[in-house]
């Protein structure tokens, strides 16, 4: 049934058909779960990981440098620890004023394309600043991020391979510059860690690619999906405009109701509850986020919802999204700016969706401020 997801703008009816088969079911030779409780349990269970017993990784064709997202402990622990300080709550608070300034500058127009003119340039500006990427290179990095995200579904294409070579060359240049003149950015901190033999040069590249893509793609779709949800639910849009302090609640309900990442997978390191060693389990995060056993009226978009337990949009366990705090802050700033600057915001044409099963969002969303 999962193969039916390709090309579907609304995958939720398919998720519900899978849910009807129980919390864990077989689909096309793979285990699939739609249950919030079971999905969360597997994500936290150290008997599951992201690699097979022979150490191979199922989704990497060898083109991209490996990141800690593709590693099990202890290597995952070592590399994630090196990147964590850049995404601490204190560090993210320091970026809030910059995000607000960028958001305001992007809204100085009457009609615009929400994704290309607002949802995409906002996070790429922030993640570029955090990584220490010069402004002249940000557009190329944004295009690359989109291609990497697409490769999760299509595999490595010729365009992806070409973009990969260009971006790795850009990172190599920036790394060489930081070796000569360190700064206050993530690249400089990783260069220092490499000098201390805490990671290899290839591991540094893999970490930078991951942070670039994760810091960009998740937030683009959070902003796009949330704005569409608000406009499609006028009563919720009116409620938010009257109560802008609800911005964090809008972010959380968007992440639950229309998460940027719809699925991930884990591999059993041993036989677990009928799943053989090296058995792959597809975890439908988006379906778990609408589990009616957890969330009353789960298919209803409600910014006043109490999120207990937490949704799984950022995964769970040791692979919980490192940039969750950053994405939440950017989403809050973006939604609040739209509500304040464009209270009469409306959709002016049809949206187009990205052709992806893993990462769900829109390629275009035409809107007007009146």
């Amino acid at each position: 049934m999962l193969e039916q997801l390709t090309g579907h703008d609304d995958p939720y009816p398919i998720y519900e058909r899978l849910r009807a088969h129980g919390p864990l079911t077989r689909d096309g030779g793979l285990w699939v779960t739609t249950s919030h409780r079971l999905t969360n349990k597997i994500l936290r269970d150290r008997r599951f990981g992201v690699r097979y017993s022979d150490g191979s990784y199922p989704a990497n064709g060898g083109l991209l440098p490996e990141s800690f997202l593709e590693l099990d402990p202890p290597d995952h622990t070592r590399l994630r620890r090196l990147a964590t300080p850049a995404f601490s709550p204190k560090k993210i608070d320091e970026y809030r004023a910059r995000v607000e300034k960028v958001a305001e500058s992007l809204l100085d127009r009457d009609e615009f394309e929400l994704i290309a003119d607002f949802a995409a340039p906002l996070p790429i500006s922030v993640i570029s600043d955090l990584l220490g990427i010069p402004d002249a290179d940000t557009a190329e990095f944004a295009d690359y991020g989109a291609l990497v995200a697409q490769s999760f579904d299509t595999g490595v294409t010729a365009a992806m391979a070409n973009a990969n070579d260009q971006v790795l060359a850009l990172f190599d240049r920036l790394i060489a510059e930081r070796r000569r003149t360190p700064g206050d950015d993530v690249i400089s901190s990783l260069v220092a860690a490499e000098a201390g033999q805490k990671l290899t040069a290839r591991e540094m590249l893999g970490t930078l690619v991951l942070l670039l893509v994760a810091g960009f793609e998740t937030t683009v779709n959070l902003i796009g999906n949330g704005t569409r949800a608000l406009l499609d639910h006028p009563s919720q849009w009116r409620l938010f405009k009257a109560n802008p302090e609800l911005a964090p609640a809008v972010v959380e309900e968007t992440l639950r109701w229309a998460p940027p990442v719809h699925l991930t997978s884990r591999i059993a390191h041993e036989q677990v509850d009928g799943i053989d060693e090296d058995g792959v389990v597809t975890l439908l995060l988006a379906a778990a986020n609408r589990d009616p056993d957890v969330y009353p009226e789960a298919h209803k978009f409600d910014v006043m919802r109490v999120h207990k337990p937490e949704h799984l949009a950022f995964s769970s366990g040791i692979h919980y999204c490192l940039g969750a705090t950053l994405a939440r802050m950017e989403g809050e700033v973006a939604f609040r700016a739209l509500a304040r600057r464009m209270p009469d915001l409306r959709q002016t044409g049809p949206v187009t969706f990205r052709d992806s099963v893993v990462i769900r969002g829109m390629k275009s969303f035409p809107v007007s401020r009146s």
Side-chain angles (χ1 to χ4, degrees):
M1 200 176 295
L2 286 178
E3 70 275 3
Q4 299 175 22
L5 292 172
T6 302
H8 274 261
D9 295 339
D10 182 9
Y12 287 95
I14 298 173
Y15 297 159
E16 291 310 307
R17 291 200 292 273
L18 285 166
R19 193 191 310 281
H21 293 284
L24 183 68
T25 186
R26 296 281 280 181
D27 181 76
L30 296 177
W31 291 101
V32 179
T33 180
T34 57
S35 159
H36 184 286
R37 184 192 65 81
L38 184 56
T39 298
N40 190 37
K41 179 181 177 182
I42 291 174
L43 289 170
R44 292 174 173 273
D45 193 331
R46 293 300 184 92
R47 294 174 297 176
F48 290 88
V50 296
R51 289 181 171 264
Y52 291 113
S53 56
D54 64 1
S56 62
Y57 182 74
N60 193 336
L63 179 64
L64 297 173
E66 290 178 348
S67 70
F68 55 80
L69 188 65
E70 302 156 318
L71 295 172
D72 291 321
D75 288 330
H76 168 272
T77 309
R78 171 176 56 87
L79 294 177
R80 182 181 173 108
R81 184 178 294 131
L82 293 174
T84 296
F87 295 88
S88 68
K90 180 178 182 296
K91 192 75 173 179
I92 299 309
D93 279 344
E94 294 174 1
Y95 274 86
R96 183 177 291 272
R98 170 172 169 74
V99 177
E100 291 172 343
K101 182 178 180 181
V102 173
E104 291 290 323
S105 69
L106 293 171
L107 293 179
D108 289 331
R109 63 189 76 198
D110 291 327
E111 294 190 10
F112 64 110
E113 210 295 304
L114 185 86
I115 306 302
D117 296 330
F118 184 62
L122 177 61
I124 196 61
S125 173
V126 176
I127 196 65
S128 296
D129 191 35
L130 193 149
L131 292 177
I133 300 170
D135 290 342
D137 296 324
T138 57
E140 188 166 355
F141 276 94
D143 292 341
Y144 175 71
L147 281 170
V148 172
Q150 181 182 338
S151 74
F152 296 153
D153 291 288
T154 63
V156 176
T157 63
M160 173 66 215
N162 179 61
N164 188 71
D165 290 342
Q166 294 180 34
V167 168
L168 292 186
L170 281 171
F171 269 134
D172 282 337
R173 188 196 79 212
L174 294 173
I175 289 168
E177 290 175 359
R178 296 308 189 280
R179 287 189 177 122
R180 293 191 298 271
T181 311
D184 182 23
D185 54 61
V186 173
I187 296 178
S188 296
S189 67
L190 292 179
V191 165
E194 182 205 21
Q197 299 185 331
K198 296 179 180 178
L199 82 168
T200 66
R202 186 166 179 81
E203 287 173 336
M204 175 161 52
L205 282 173
T207 300
L208 291 172
V209 168
L210 170 64
L211 297 181
L212 171 67
V213 176
F216 169 57
E217 280 296 318
T218 300
T219 310
V220 170
N221 293 303
L222 165 61
I223 296 170
N225 294 350
T227 303
R228 182 167 179 257
L230 287 167
L231 296 187
D232 284 349
H233 298 81
S235 63
Q236 298 289 295
W237 179 227
R238 289 193 297 270
L239 174 65
F240 174 46
K241 287 188 293 183
N243 301 275
E245 70 276 7
L246 289 176
V250 173
V251 168
E252 296 309 311
E253 182 65 347
T254 298
L255 289 167
R256 184 199 70 84
W257 193 76
V261 179
H262 270 223
L263 62 90
T264 188
S265 63
R266 291 293 183 268
I267 301 170
H269 288 165
E270 59 186 73
Q271 189 175 61
V272 183
D273 298 334
I275 302 171
D276 291 335
E277 181 182 354
D278 283 342
V280 178
V281 184
T282 299
L283 307 167
L284 295 177
L285 305 175
N289 283 352
R290 293 196 186 185
D291 187 341
D293 291 337
V294 174
Y295 302 110
E297 297 184 281
H299 285 273
K300 180 180 178 182
F301 180 76
D302 180 7
V303 300
M304 299 302 291
R305 184 183 301 278
V306 176
H307 288 270
K308 292 183 179 179
E310 183 182 346
H311 57 72
L312 299 176
F314 290 127
S315 190
S316 187
I318 64 171
H319 285 283
Y320 187 85
C321 178
L322 182 63
T325 302
L326 176 62
R328 283 181 162 118
M329 183 269 284
E330 290 179 286
E332 291 174 22
V333 169
F335 294 138
R336 193 178 288 115
L338 284 169
R340 185 176 64 82
R341 294 284 303 278
M342 299 185 171
D344 297 319
L345 186 70
R346 63 183 180 88
Q347 184 176 332
T348 58
V351 302
T352 58
F353 293 89
R354 58 189 308 157
D355 186 16
S356 175
V357 171
V358 179
I359 298 180
R360 291 281 181 170
M362 292 167 288
K363 291 190 295 185
S364 66
F365 186 4
V367 295
S368 173
R369 70 188 312 147
S370 61

